[in-house]
Amino acid sequence: MDAVYTPNQLSGAQPNPFLEAMPEMLSKEALFCRLACSPPPPDAAQLKPSDRRRGLNALSSVFVPLDYMAVIYNTLFCAMESTYTASATVDSIRRVHAIHQGDGAALAQLPVATSTDSGSILGVPGIGKSSTIRRCLRQIPQVIRHSQYGDSKLYCNQVTWLMVECPGDCSVKTLALNIIEAIDRAIGSSYSDLNQRVARLPSASVLATRVKILCLTHHVGLIVIDEIQNAILTASRNKQSKALIKFLVELSNEACTSIYYVGTPSAEDLFLSQEHLKRRTRGLRLLPMRPDGIYRGFLHELWPYQYTPERAHFTDALVNLVYDLSGGIPAYIVKIFYEAQVQALQAGTERLDDKLIRKAVEMLNIVAPKTYAKGTYLSDFSVCDTDEDTETDTEADTAEALEPEPVRRLYAVPRGRPKAKRDKHDILTLAAAGQDPETAAAVLEQAGLLEVF
């Protein structure tokens, strides 16, 4: 998109075209409208048997926004703005020259960008970290084209974000190439071709320098490194993670680019092992949904997408069974709901039941974790829409009424010993009935269960 400049309070008195070209941050309501995806539910009774199995693929396109997604969107958006707040246009040009010439002294004399943001988003596999981040980033224009700022010509591309995957071999070369290719995809350049015209790839240090210069040249606001736990797996074998982490730290410092790491909780071991990484990798630690109204609302959004001849009722027994078997992990919930219908259609069963759900879990070999490290459950996030001017009291009341109410946990299978039957004169029965001491004593004495001295 072409740059449209609007005054930004963060820029202060110094002109900052890159910060002023940033779009407005979306409200929670606007973000959820863009993120939500709910194709029309099927009328399975009208479908041919051959079309029911094919129609199940629509379930993979259903996307239910949750409050934690608004937190991720706000975090990434603010990280981009912190990059453009920390660097001015003239400083960026000076940094390019200093890095290109390898002049460490000149680079050290430039203003230090202390406000660029770095952090991490770690979570249990299957809760939707990567898909949520990609959807949130797509709500922000990736490339903003500048041509004129005020009375001055300004020809450049501003790349607000890049998302790349941490290489499995923990190689600086591979990660640098991934970043260069991501820039090519974003702006349509051909920097990657320079590496293919030579007999062998440049050294890791040369590629690292190119990445820093490209990030400054195209004003990259944020780089998201996905699957950062790959660095842990490689480090445990050949201890190569230090070079990769050093490159990322230098990239953040010298190119003034915010960096966020995304992965599983196993990456926490690497972050805590390096003192300089602890403050750079703070951020969200995500756990699955609790068995509450948020989970119930999530499953309720999926429930209409049933392709069996008859639709199963949304009962507490089935709802709690799905939670017990999935552990509240969204990817498991969707997969179980999908596979259970596959089993029903193949067996010619009219509707879903508990046996089909259990069989689906057995077919998929799903074993939900029982314990987790420290973190925040997806159900515990609560984000209020701060756009007070556009929301009336009536609208606020309506939105509050639509929020899923917390529900009491009802296990699908009764657990523990059956409750013993007690006599009406039993002390525990009297205590449970709320009898005062005098009345309880009189009843016990009358029944011959109390001796008074």
Side-chain angles (χ1 to χ4, degrees):
M1 61 170 284
D2 294 328
V4 177
Y5 304 105
T6 55
N8 194 310
Q9 295 179 351
L10 298 176
S11 61
Q14 186 177 12
N16 193 326
F18 307 113
L19 187 59
E20 294 174 19
M22 285 291 291
E24 290 187 6
M25 182 184 292
L26 296 175
S27 64
K28 173 186 169 181
E29 181 182 2
L31 176 66
F32 279 15
C33 286
R34 295 190 182 187
L35 293 181
C37 182
S38 53
D43 184 2
Q46 305 299 325
L47 292 177
K48 298 178 181 178
S50 59
D51 292 337
R52 292 195 179 108
R53 176 64 178 83
R54 296 165 59 192
L56 266 173
N57 293 329
L59 189 61
S60 61
S61 63
V62 178
F63 192 84
V64 182
L66 299 174
D67 276 11
Y68 84 95
M69 299 176 185
V71 175
I72 289 179
Y73 168 80
N74 294 340
T75 299
L76 299 179
F77 190 95
C78 291
M80 296 176 206
E81 286 198 327
S82 72
T83 297
Y84 302 125
T85 305
S87 59
T89 307
V90 175
D91 292 337
S92 298
I93 297 173
R94 291 172 178 169
R95 285 182 179 276
V96 170
H97 287 297
I99 293 174
H100 185 70
Q101 296 174 1
D103 191 348
L107 191 62
Q109 294 176 359
L110 291 172
V112 179
T114 58
S115 59
T116 51
D117 191 14
S118 294
S120 62
I121 300 174
L122 306 182
V124 176
I127 62 175
K129 302 178 299 297
S130 299
S131 60
T132 295
I133 289 173
R134 286 192 177 92
R135 286 176 180 265
C136 289
L137 289 176
R138 287 170 188 163
Q139 312 312 315
I140 305 169
Q142 186 177 22
V143 179
I144 301 176
R145 293 180 293 273
H146 298 262
S147 57
Q148 184 163 348
Y149 179 70
D151 297 331
S152 304
K153 298 294 183 181
L154 179 62
Y155 296 105
C156 66
N157 289 318
Q158 175 185 352
V159 180
T160 57
W161 58 267
L162 297 172
M163 187 168 182
V164 298
E165 188 169 315
C166 179
D169 59 357
C170 210
S171 165
V172 174
K173 276 188 177 183
T174 307
L175 180 58
L177 290 172
N178 289 347
I179 294 175
I180 293 173
E181 290 175 358
I183 293 175
D184 284 344
R185 290 193 300 269
I187 63 176
S189 56
S190 55
Y191 295 114
S192 300
D193 294 343
L194 297 176
N195 303 318
Q196 300 174 0
R197 296 173 186 169
V198 293
R200 54 184 300 181
L201 284 175
S203 64
S205 59
V206 171
L207 285 173
T209 300
R210 287 183 184 176
V211 169
K212 296 172 188 176
I213 292 175
L214 288 176
C215 286
L216 284 167
T217 302
H218 298 291
H219 313 282
V220 177
L222 170 68
I223 299 178
V224 177
I225 310 294
D226 198 11
E227 305 295 346
I228 190 61
Q229 73 274 2
N230 289 346
I232 305 299
L233 301 176
T234 303
S236 62
R237 294 194 300 267
N238 48 25
K239 299 181 180 180
Q240 289 183 347
S241 64
K242 289 186 177 180
L244 181 69
I245 299 301
K246 180 183 178 182
F247 164 61
L248 292 172
V249 172
E250 290 178 355
L251 183 62
S252 177
N253 291 338
E254 298 180 13
C256 302
T257 299
S258 297
I259 297 179
Y260 260 77
Y261 308 95
V262 180
T264 64
S266 60
E268 194 78 74
D269 297 336
L270 174 63
F271 297 157
L272 296 179
S273 66
Q274 307 285 339
E275 285 295 330
H276 65 283
L277 286 180
K278 289 183 179 179
R279 67 179 180 85
R280 299 176 185 272
T281 55
R282 65 197 183 283
L284 300 175
R285 302 295 182 262
L286 303 175
L287 302 179
M289 291 182 283
R290 295 183 185 274
D292 57 8
I294 302 299
Y295 158 72
R296 194 181 184 94
F298 177 85
L299 187 58
H300 192 270
E301 292 291 328
L302 300 178
W303 209 253
Y305 297 92
Q306 297 186 42
Y307 290 82
T308 52
E310 295 182 14
R311 180 175 296 182
H313 296 296
F314 191 76
T315 63
D316 288 327
L318 290 180
V319 168
N320 294 318
L321 177 62
V322 172
Y323 184 87
D324 289 341
L325 299 176
S326 67
I329 299 175
Y332 286 176
I333 296 171
V334 175
K335 196 64 179 175
I336 291 172
F337 190 58
Y338 176 94
E339 184 62 28
Q341 294 188 64
V342 172
Q343 297 300 321
L345 294 175
Q346 290 177 351
T349 308
E350 294 295 315
R351 68 174 70 87
L352 292 179
D353 55 26
D354 57 339
K355 293 181 180 179
L356 288 169
I357 291 175
R358 292 181 184 279
K359 185 176 181 181
V361 174
E362 183 180 348
M363 293 287 294
L364 297 171
N365 195 26
I366 291 177
V367 179
K370 300 299 181 183
T371 58
Y372 301 100
K374 293 182 179 180
T376 306
Y377 286 88
L378 302 187
S379 302
D380 294 342
F381 286 90
S382 179
V383 179
C384 297
D385 208 329
T386 56
D387 193 0
E388 299 177 356
D389 296 335
T390 59
E391 183 178 352
T392 63
D393 293 338
T394 303
E395 292 172 339
D397 295 340
T398 303
E400 184 177 355
L402 293 176
E403 287 291 332
E405 296 181 0
V407 295
R408 184 170 62 89
R409 182 73 173 90
L410 299 173
Y411 285 102
V413 179
R415 302 183 180 186
R417 298 178 181 176
K419 191 173 182 180
K421 294 183 179 180
R422 296 183 180 275
D423 188 86
K424 63 180 181 179
H425 296 136
D426 191 286
I427 294 177
L428 295 179
T429 303
L430 295 174
Q435 298 284 359
D436 58 88
E438 292 78 8
T439 304
V443 172
L444 291 173
E445 184 179 1
Q446 185 179 0
L449 299 175
L450 178 65
E451 185 177 355
V452 179
F453 294 94

